[in-house]
């Protein structure tokens, strides 16, 4: 049931391999957050197969929406707006969510709000930190993105740095595959790292010259591949846990190095992390330490709100909705949508 001061958003997310729907009230209160993960399905192929992802989204989308409404004890009559991820992501996957959202918006005459996926990841921080308001600095680290973002206001972003090649999560996934851990790489590397020595192998920490807050991970991934080849040629044993721990440490050092520098140079006093890699406990502790040293307030979503979900899309959609942003029924999936673009 709803009251008049509540804006209830039904949010839909289908940009990659999670079919998700959520009901979020006033941007910060999650009434339901249903996620149908396709991970098991893609594991046998060693990564996300776009065509399979799209088909599975079609199968699951109505189911997750019904479940989200039921769990929130609501019907579509109680919903004030539909928020949906329309980019970036896999085009076929995005289209399923966008088409569904448009159909509900049209049939029920409910406003539609297209949401940028990264804006969703950043907004995940609002859900459990009711006091968090812009401006703050946020590092988004996911499978497709590594962005250092200054959140100027709700819906207003300045990208201070990004990866010049692979995203951090992508590097985790590629290295995991190379050392035989399989997909999805991030959680498997994190688990294996607990048994390994982070100082066993010295992988390079790449810093991008000139551009202050940019990142590069493809060199680090190549260094791991070279190390593995070298071991094989010399007939030396490869200790999977040591490679996992040493690689993870190298990524964390690069990320935290950049965070420390950005905090010092911008003077921002609030720092947040977001995206799938932000669910990594070793990374979370390392960032917390950097923030504490610089007397900066640190925010991070619970792991389930770091990886793809629809609650974060509902949080972002609320602030767009309140700013008067509406999407038309001509809303399309935009696979390469840039942050801050509409
Ligand atoms: O945000 P997300 O769910 O999807 C994208 O928007 O890309 O992020 C998925 C990425 C994958 O690359 C995955 O390996 C990585 O986040 N990831 C992790 C962990 N959990 C997920 N990386 C490191 N440690 C983890 N625990
Ligand atoms: Zn994501």
């Amino acid at each position: 049931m709803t009251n008049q001061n509540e804006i209830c958003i039904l949010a839909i997310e289908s940009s990659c391999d999670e079919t998700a729907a959520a009901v979020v009230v006033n941007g910060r209160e999650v009434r339901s957050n249903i996620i149908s993960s396709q991970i098991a399905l893609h594991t046998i192929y060693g990564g996300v197969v776009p065509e399979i992802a799209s088909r599975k989204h079609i199968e699951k989308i109505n189911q997750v929406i019904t479940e989200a409404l039921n769990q929130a004890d609501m019907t579509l009559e109680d919903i004030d707006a539909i928020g949906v991820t329309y980019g970036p992501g896999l085009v076929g996957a995005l289209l399923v969510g966008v088409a569904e959202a448009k159909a509900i918006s049209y049939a029920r005459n409910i406003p539609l709000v297209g949401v940028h996926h990264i804006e969703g990841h950043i907004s995940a921080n609002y859900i459990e930190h009711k006091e968090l308001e812009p401006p703050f600095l946020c590092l988004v680290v996911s499978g497709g993105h590594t962005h250092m973002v200054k959140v100027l206001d709700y819906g207003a972003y300045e990208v201070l740095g990004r990866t010049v090649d692979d995203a951090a999560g992508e590097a985790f996934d590629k290295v995991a595959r190379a050392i035989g851990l399989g997909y999805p790489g991030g959680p498997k590397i994190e688990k294996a790292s607990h048994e390994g020595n982070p100082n066993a192998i010295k992988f390079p920490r790449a810093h991008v010259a000139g551009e202050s807050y940019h990142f590069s991970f493809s060199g680090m991934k190549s260094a791991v591949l070279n190390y593995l080849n070298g071991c094989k040629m010399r007939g030396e044993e490869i200790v999977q846990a040591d490679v996992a721990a040493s690689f993870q440490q190298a990524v964390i050092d690069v990320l935290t190095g950049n965070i420390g520098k950005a905090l010092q140079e911008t003077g921002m006093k609030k720092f947040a992390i977001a995206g799938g890699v932000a669910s990594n406990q070793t990374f979370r502790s390392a960032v917390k330490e950097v923030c504490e040293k610089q007397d900066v307030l640190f925010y991070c979503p619970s792991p389930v709100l770091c990886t793809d979900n629809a609650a974060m899309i509902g949080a972002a959609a609320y602030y767009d909705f309140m700013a008067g942003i509406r999407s038309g029924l001509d809303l399309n999936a935009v696979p390469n949508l840039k942050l801050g673009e509409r």
Side-chain angles (χ1 to χ4, degrees):
M1 293 303 104
T2 61
N3 75 44
Q4 283 192 327
N5 301 322
E6 291 183 340
I7 300 292
C8 300
I9 303 221
L10 171 66
I12 299 171
E13 155 66 40
S14 70
S15 65
C16 191
D17 59 348
E18 260 93 30
T19 321
V23 174
V24 180
V25 176
N26 292 344
R28 300 205 180 216
E29 192 191 319
V30 178
R31 295 279 171 92
S32 62
N33 187 24
I34 308 298
I35 304 166
S36 170
S37 175
Q38 303 179 3
I39 283 177
L41 201 66
H42 298 285
T43 299
I44 47 172
Y45 302 101
V48 179
V49 183
E51 180 61 25
I52 295 177
S54 313
R55 285 165 193 252
K56 207 65 195 170
H57 284 312
I58 293 172
E59 268 176 54
K60 289 284 174 185
I61 192 111
N62 285 321
Q63 211 175 309
V64 297
I65 290 172
T66 304
E67 223 174 307
L69 288 168
N70 286 347
Q71 208 176 88
D73 197 18
M74 287 184 194
T75 69
L76 285 174
E77 302 292 324
D78 302 309
I79 298 298
D80 298 293
I82 314 280
V84 65
T85 306
Y86 73 109
L90 301 169
V91 67
L94 287 165
L95 275 170
V96 177
V98 169
E100 178 83 13
K102 289 201 290 192
I104 298 173
S105 163
Y106 176 71
R108 295 285 171 153
N109 199 21
I110 310 170
L112 178 68
V113 181
V115 174
H116 192 290
H117 184 74
I118 297 298
E119 188 172 2
H121 274 304
I122 295 169
S123 304
N125 280 286
Y126 297 136
I127 295 169
E128 291 160 315
H129 305 292
K130 309 292 182 207
E131 75 289 3
L132 176 62
E133 305 253 12
F136 60 93
L137 211 55
C138 183
L139 179 73
V140 184
V141 266
S142 71
H145 309 273
T146 308
H147 279 39
M148 183 73 80
V149 182
K150 196 185 224 181
V151 182
L152 306 164
D153 202 344
Y154 294 107
Y157 309 95
E158 185 187 344
V159 179
L160 302 182
R162 51 163 55 89
T163 179
V164 296
D165 40 57
D166 292 351
E170 190 180 352
F172 268 95
D173 293 334
K174 287 177 176 170
V175 166
R177 201 175 308 149
I179 59 175
L181 285 171
Y183 173 84
K188 292 196 169 166
I189 288 196
E190 178 172 19
K191 189 156 179 262
S193 74
H194 294 142
E195 312 297 322
N197 173 5
N199 302 311
I201 310 146
K202 198 80 193 143
F203 292 126
R205 275 70 170 152
H207 296 284
V208 180
E211 304 278 3
S212 304
Y213 309 113
H214 283 3
F215 301 91
S216 169
F217 295 105
S218 82
M220 208 180 280
K221 171 201 68 194
S222 302
V224 176
L225 297 180
N226 288 340
Y227 170 81
L228 297 174
N229 282 336
C231 287
K232 277 179 202 152
M233 280 162 64
R234 291 188 299 272
E236 289 169 12
E237 187 201 358
I238 295 166
V239 183
Q240 198 186 45
D242 281 349
V243 180
S246 300
F247 165 75
Q248 177 177 278
Q249 194 54 51
V251 174
I252 291 174
D253 285 353
V254 166
L255 293 173
T256 51
N258 228 334
I259 292 169
K261 189 167 159 221
L263 286 174
Q264 222 157 38
E265 291 175 6
T266 61
M268 300 289 279
K269 286 289 159 206
K270 289 183 271 183
F271 187 78
I273 53 174
V277 181
S279 64
N280 184 294
Q281 295 298 336
T282 314
F283 174 58
R284 290 160 86 94
S285 307
V287 183
K288 189 162 175 263
E289 205 180 305
V290 172
C291 289
E292 278 170 3
K293 268 195 194 137
Q294 299 202 29
D295 218 6
V296 167
L297 293 168
F298 171 58
Y299 303 88
C300 60
S302 291
V304 71
L305 293 174
C306 286
T307 44
D308 288 349
N309 65 88
M312 67 184 197
I313 303 303
Y318 170 77
Y319 290 102
D320 288 342
F321 179 81
M322 295 309 279
I325 292 168
R326 304 287 183 270
S327 303
L329 291 174
D330 58 349
L331 182 71
N332 205 353
V334 185
N336 298 316
L337 188 66
K338 301 272 173 299
L339 188 62
E341 248 179 36
R342 283 228 151 248

